[in-house]
Amino acid sequence: MSTNIRVRFAPSPTGFLHIGGLRAVLFDYLIAKTLGGKLILRIEDTDKKRQVAGAVEGLINILDWVGIKFDEGPHLGGEFGPYIQSERKEIYKEHAEALLKKSGAYRCFCSEDRLKKMREERQAEKLPPRYDRVCRNLSEQDIIEKLAKNEPFVIRQKIPESGEIIAHDELRGGIKFAVQDLDDQVLIKTDGLPTYQFANVVDDHLMKISHVLRGDEWIPSFPKNILLYQGFNWEPPKFIHLTLTLNKEGSKLSKRQGDIAVEDFRAKGYLPEPLLNFCVLQGWHPSASDKAPKEKTDEILSLDQMVEYFDFKDMGTSPAIFDVAKLDYFNGFYIREMSLEKLTKLCLPFLGENLKLTADSKKQELDYIQKVIGLEQERLKKLAEIGELTAFMFADDLQYESKLLIWKKITPEQIKINLQTVFELLEKISEAEWNKKNIEEVIMGYIKTQKFKVGDYLWPMRVALTGREASPGPFEVAEVLGAAECLKRINQAIKKL
Ligand code: GLU
């Protein structure tokens, strides 16, 4: 492990892990792993207004569920702690003092009222929306007096008057900014807590972070970060700005338009592997990699394969589009690939309501449940759908309308006769021979001797067994239900006609 490669994930504990956050932590992980370095979790909780109780534990839990392992963090410790910003207040204070001494920052005593008025005036004059730098020119004497009077103040960054700054992004190259457009941003607020802009730079430096991967919404303030590094005389880390994830309509993903929290995806029965597989393609593609085998044309990638093929230099800079249909496709793929034992275990929490439907204890046994899940494994896209898809396999009394039994133009009388025939045929199969193959042979063998078509028997048989317009095929359902239950259901259907 290379000790000088250190990558951090720095979420704010605002209540849930956004799917965009999962994408960021995955890329952090991949950068750390491919370069043989460490992954660090740092909680950025200096904005007290945005905090939610229990959010840190929630974040750690969900990251653990996803399978992203950290080397250092609030839950693991490490030599660069504390890893929660609110526990580092003194560190920021010391560094702010140091910056004041180096003339890289100054105290600003302007009141909220004055700032508001100033903003309105600047707006009226069509000047850029930034602080007018009044407190930059306070004399030493003014400052001493104001401090003696306990006047509240913030500490602002002293941006040079003019010139140009080139901030280097690993994917975009040098980005040029005119210094005169930059605001003397607040570094320490009146409550003594740092802003993101200050804490982030101080922590990345003190925690010896080598690569900073973050959203491209931070590009406008990027030059100010670089100026801070210069003010402290620190070497900046390498920066990689991730493009936003947009929805299909091209706007920012927001809670209003549906689920964006990883917890929501988990609750619906998405699995960690497809979520990660989906996220990695939002900003990188194996086709860009020299390391990925050329014959690999599908986009299915395990975490290990990602580590094998990934290189952050191959990441793209165009916005990623969040296409849930693709996520569903991946989820379905991983569900199909999984062993039935594992799938059953994962589905159990989603079956609770179904198990209540039945008084029949056989239907509550694991063996039966596993066979039921096996019926749906091919089709299942999200685990949470399993309850609805399989409810008919647990019901003691199927509810459906008799007209559902009717196939095309066949009369109810004829359907009844066909079902009676099916009943008699099935009745002859012994318990030991009750399996899909035999059931199919018996029923299909009979149908071939008749003038009727396959659907004239199989449609009512399938509806009788499932009560559904769409379901797995009648033979596989019959095998799992078992002889007694099948005959009971067919009998009930006959009585409906
Ligand atoms: N706390 C910041 C956020 O959640 C972190 C950004 C960064 O990685 O620098 O957006």
Side-chain angles (χ1 to χ4, degrees), residues 8 10-12 44 196 200 212-214 217-218:
R8 90 301 193 271
S12 300
E44 301 210 328
Y196 160 79
N200 205 263
V212 167
L213 175 127
R214 60 181 186 176
E217 71 268 27
W218 299 111

Side-chain angles (χ1 to χ4, degrees), residues 180-389:
Q180 82 226 29
D181 296 337
L182 305 178
D183 190 15
D184 282 0
Q185 66 182 351
V186 174
L187 302 177
I188 302 282
K189 297 175 278 186
T190 39
D191 61 5
L193 282 172
T195 55
Y196 160 79
Q197 303 292 355
F198 190 60
N200 205 263
V201 166
V202 170
D203 287 347
D204 284 343
H205 174 74
L206 295 181
M207 294 182 179
K208 294 197 174 6
I209 299 303
S210 61
H211 293 71
V212 167
L213 175 127
R214 60 181 186 176
D216 62 2
E217 71 268 27
W218 299 111
I219 290 184
S221 51
F222 190 19
K224 293 186 270 192
N225 306 144
I226 298 299
L227 285 168
L228 263 184
Y229 280 100
Q230 290 175 357
F232 278 116
N233 222 350
W234 291 340
E235 181 72 29
K238 289 189 186 336
F239 282 90
I240 299 155
H241 288 93
L242 254 187
T243 54
L244 269 181
T245 303
L246 305 177
N247 60 28
K248 275 173 111 180
E249 288 69 47
S251 55
K252 212 173 142 177
L253 277 191
S254 88
K255 188 105 184 126
R256 263 172 293 124
Q257 298 149 339
D259 293 330
I260 49 163
V262 179
E263 283 86 344
D264 295 335
F265 288 102
R266 181 185 184 178
K268 282 193 173 160
Y270 287 97
L271 308 168
E273 297 83 353
L275 276 168
L276 293 175
N277 199 153
F278 176 74
C279 282
V280 80
L281 298 170
Q282 308 249 303
W284 174 83
H285 198 275
S287 59
S289 161
D290 291 338
K291 292 177 252 172
K294 286 292 155 266
E295 62 276 14
K296 182 161 178 61
T297 50
D298 67 21
E299 294 180 317
I300 302 291
L301 294 153
S302 66
L303 195 52
D304 286 346
Q305 281 173 318
M306 293 177 206
V307 174
E308 199 177 324
Y309 308 147
F310 182 81
D311 184 331
F312 75 80
K313 298 205 172 76
D314 297 331
M315 289 174 72
T317 51
S318 37
I321 302 297
F322 189 87
D323 179 2
V324 152
K326 192 158 181 173
L327 175 58
D328 286 355
Y329 163 75
F330 284 132
N331 213 49
F333 177 87
Y334 282 88
I335 286 176
R336 286 195 297 281
E337 291 289 294
M338 189 178 285
S339 75
L340 186 52
E341 289 74 19
K342 183 166 176 204
L343 181 62
T344 306
K345 233 193 202 153
L346 292 174
C347 283
L348 279 179
F350 297 99
L351 279 179
E353 287 305 310
N354 284 356
L355 298 179
K356 279 189 220 151
L357 283 176
T358 177
D360 177 350
S361 62
K362 240 180 103 187
K363 286 189 189 149
Q364 306 220 2
E365 281 167 18
L366 202 58
D367 185 47
Y368 178 77
I369 295 172
Q370 186 159 308
K371 285 184 193 151
V372 170
I373 308 252
L375 287 176
E376 294 295 344
Q377 185 165 13
E378 281 297 305
R379 274 165 291 258
L380 192 61
K381 292 272 189 298
K382 291 167 248 178
L383 302 182
E385 291 169 350
I386 196 72
E388 157 65 15
L389 284 172

Side-chain angles (χ1 to χ4, degrees), residues 391-408:
F392 71 90
M393 294 299 287
F394 295 92
D396 284 333
D397 192 14
L398 275 191
Q399 303 292 335
Y400 60 95
E401 288 191 44
S402 59
K403 64 173 192 258
L404 196 58
L405 291 160
I406 308 301
W407 177 244
K408 294 195 174 160

